[in-house]
Amino acid sequence: MMAEAQSTTSPWEYSDAPESIQVDIAKKYQLFIGGKFVSPKSRSWFATTNPSTEKKLADIASAGKADVNAAVLAARRALPAWSKLTGCERGKYLYAIARRIQERAREFAILETMDGGKPIKESRDVDIPLAAQHFFYHAGWADKLEYAFSGRTVKPVGVCGQIIPWNFPLLMAAWKLAPALACGNTCVLKPAETTSLTALRLAEVFEEVGLPPGVVNVVTGAGETGAAIVNHPNIQKVAFTGSTEVGKLIMNQTAGSGKSLTLELGGKSANIIFADAAIDQAIEGIVSGIYFNQGHVCCAGSRLFVEEPVLDTVVKKLKHRLKSLRVGDPLDKNTDIGAINSKAQLQTIQKYIDLGEDEGATYHSCQTERLPSKGYWCHPCFFTDVQPSHTIAREEIFGPVLSVMSFRTPEEALMRANNTRYGLAAGVWTEKGAKIFDVAKKLDAGVIWCNTYNKFDASSPFGGVKESGFGREGGIQGLRPYVKLGGTS
Ligand code: NAP
Ligand code: MG
């Protein structure tokens, strides 16, 4: 059920441990075009709020068509010089950006948490270090592209339009920008409406390291701003991370335009626990798989398949583990589950929880935490008695809601895990190495974790199959969408 303020005290009560430093947030944020912060020609602004307090943080410029046009023009002008720099020179800029993100890491983490609602321990330990890692990693590739694509000539694609979601704002910006820049492209980036602040602060970093004007432009705004980028005739490549619905729209809009496209879309990933798995370790994987970042994770392990003999044990241990998850102030260092990113997303999650109960599944949650009176909160929960036909077992919820189901044979597990329109990720838990390889190679998913979940690394390609999209980000494979390959060099 939707969280309400509770008076019961958790057995896991700790003293408050809030982040102590204040981060400066301006009243207004302009667009970053041609190396400068500029007022929007649209004269339009929107507010960004802190989802854990519902307080407005700042006004953000809303880029209209003319603003997007200016950004694309700036990127076009910057392209010849940027693409002709030696890889080594481009790499130096990427190293400098990575180092500056590290130096300003605490500030980035706090801002990410305030704007998006995720727990500070996640922004501090996962999002920001990984964002820096992506720039470091791609800095290393910048002067080695001829080895990445041995025997071929390598050219940049051109001006890249990059549109990102709100669940990992800075990290998604890094996933998009770092490979594009390493390969000599220039970029127009649009962050999500609810989480623009860290992308704008990253633009400050670009100024600090002296990135040539126009190489990266940040245009903030809503879906229309994204659409203006997608449909701009001088964009050569579109990279989109977001919902399958918008991904399909973009695929239609770019069809026949000659623009190259990569899509990282939704998911309904399966986490499969065999009876011979290390169950306590698997419980941690289940928890990280679905409750990390409030379940706002495209590859969340939102469908749990447990081999029948251990179903009761897993459910019992999961219930126990839920009691130890602390929901509340995302700026508190002990918080495990922060705020839901927006009111609209909270309503979507609630709709699915209600549907789960209406369709006959059994709801389990542990509502022992006291919650702030303001903000958007959802207790982590799971459902048992879930049928494959239930809506909660089929549709992406993008919240801390897990559907638990059982299976009897590996074949049944595989059949049910693959019975989805999505194919982003999957998890397999067993102590038997042969079973890992057998099951993993039969799963229809882009990323498969074995005896772990939600582990990311810049050197490891990430992306989906089926309606979870196409194209990879990270690793040598992630460079491919950002280069045009010619004949032998
Ligand atoms: P979304 O509505 O598709 O939005 C993603 C981005 O696209 C936002 O910047 C959004 O702007 C923009 N946008 C909206 N409509 C557009 C249009 N017609 N043309 C161009 N851009 C448009 O997705 P979301 O709800 O913010 O994000 C959650 C979804 O992203 C989930 O389905 C999740 O699975 C997926 N996701 C996938 C991955 C992955 O790697 N596969 C990673 C993270 C998230 P506004 O913010 O203003 O709406
Ligand atoms: Mg916000």
Side-chain angles (χ1 to χ4, degrees), residues 87-373:
C88 180
E89 287 301 316
R90 282 201 307 274
K92 281 189 203 165
Y93 285 106
L94 294 185
Y95 278 123
I97 294 166
R99 280 197 298 269
R100 200 66 192 119
I101 292 174
Q102 285 185 321
E103 282 159 10
R104 296 179 68 171
R106 195 156 175 206
E107 176 193 350
F108 269 114
I110 292 171
L111 205 56
E112 199 75 301
T113 285
M114 288 178 76
D115 203 14
K118 63 172 60 194
I120 187 72
K121 70 176 178 191
E122 289 179 9
S123 12
R124 182 196 63 198
D125 298 345
V126 182
D127 293 62
I128 312 304
L130 275 177
Q133 191 206 31
H134 269 265
F135 281 103
F136 275 123
Y137 176 80
H138 287 94
W141 272 125
D143 62 350
K144 299 174 195 71
L145 295 175
E146 67 213 76
Y147 302 106
F149 305 101
S150 176
R152 309 287 300 273
T153 55
V154 184
K155 286 196 179 140
V157 179
V159 176
C160 303
Q162 306 181 310
I163 300 164
I164 54 174
W166 43 262
N167 56 347
F168 293 91
L170 185 73
L171 183 57
M172 289 297 117
W175 277 27
K176 296 276 176 286
L177 295 172
L181 298 181
C183 295
N185 303 278
T186 56
C187 303
V188 177
L189 176 82
K190 190 199 95 67
E193 212 177 336
T194 55
T195 54
S196 306
L197 290 181
T198 47
L200 291 163
R201 201 141 298 205
L202 184 62
E204 289 177 18
V205 167
F206 298 148
E207 279 187 318
E208 285 174 343
V209 304
L211 190 72
V215 169
V216 176
N217 306 274
V218 182
V219 286
T220 42
E224 297 81 62
T225 309
I229 295 174
V230 169
N231 294 314
H232 198 289
N234 293 327
I235 292 274
Q236 276 82 47
K237 183 199 158 36
V238 175
F240 172 80
T241 296
S243 59
T244 294
E245 192 191 356
V246 175
K248 283 183 181 174
L249 203 71
I250 292 178
M251 203 163 167
N252 277 327
Q253 287 166 344
T254 51
S257 68
K259 289 174 189 163
S260 87
L261 177 66
T262 40
L263 297 174
E264 302 270 12
L265 308 175
K268 191 74 187 172
S269 300
N271 212 355
I272 304 173
I273 317 287
F274 285 98
D276 60 21
I279 300 295
D280 288 333
Q281 195 184 325
I283 294 291
E284 292 313 303
I286 296 166
V287 166
S288 128
I290 185 64
Y291 303 131
F292 175 56
N293 195 18
Q294 296 76 245
H296 300 332
V297 184
C298 48
C299 50
S302 53
R303 291 181 301 148
L304 176 64
F305 294 101
V306 187
E307 196 166 4
E308 231 171 59
V310 291
L311 178 65
D312 290 346
T313 312
V314 166
V315 168
K316 202 167 124 224
K317 285 180 181 264
L318 193 55
K319 270 189 193 164
H320 179 71
R321 184 66 176 86
L322 273 193
K323 285 190 198 149
S324 67
L325 291 178
R326 295 171 53 91
V327 187
D329 180 5
L331 278 175
D332 189 311
K333 293 167 202 158
N334 290 324
T335 293
D336 298 301
I337 314 278
I340 299 299
N341 183 266
S342 65
K343 191 173 185 182
Q345 187 59 26
L346 181 59
Q347 285 164 346
T348 303
I349 297 169
Q350 184 59 48
K351 180 193 83 182
Y352 280 110
I353 292 177
D354 293 345
L355 262 173
E357 292 194 299
D358 292 349
E359 291 181 0
T362 308
Y363 172 85
H364 307 263
S365 167
C366 195
Q367 306 188 10
T368 54
E369 296 285 342
R370 274 190 234 105
L371 291 175
S373 53

Side-chain angles (χ1 to χ4, degrees), residues 48-51 57 115-116 194-195:
T48 193
T49 54
N50 180 336
L57 292 171
D115 203 14
T194 55
T195 54

Side-chain angles (χ1 to χ4, degrees), residues 434-448:
K435 205 191 274 176
I436 287 179
F437 288 113
D438 186 44
V439 172
K441 72 179 181 221
K442 292 176 186 157
L443 280 165
D444 293 335
V447 179
I448 296 164

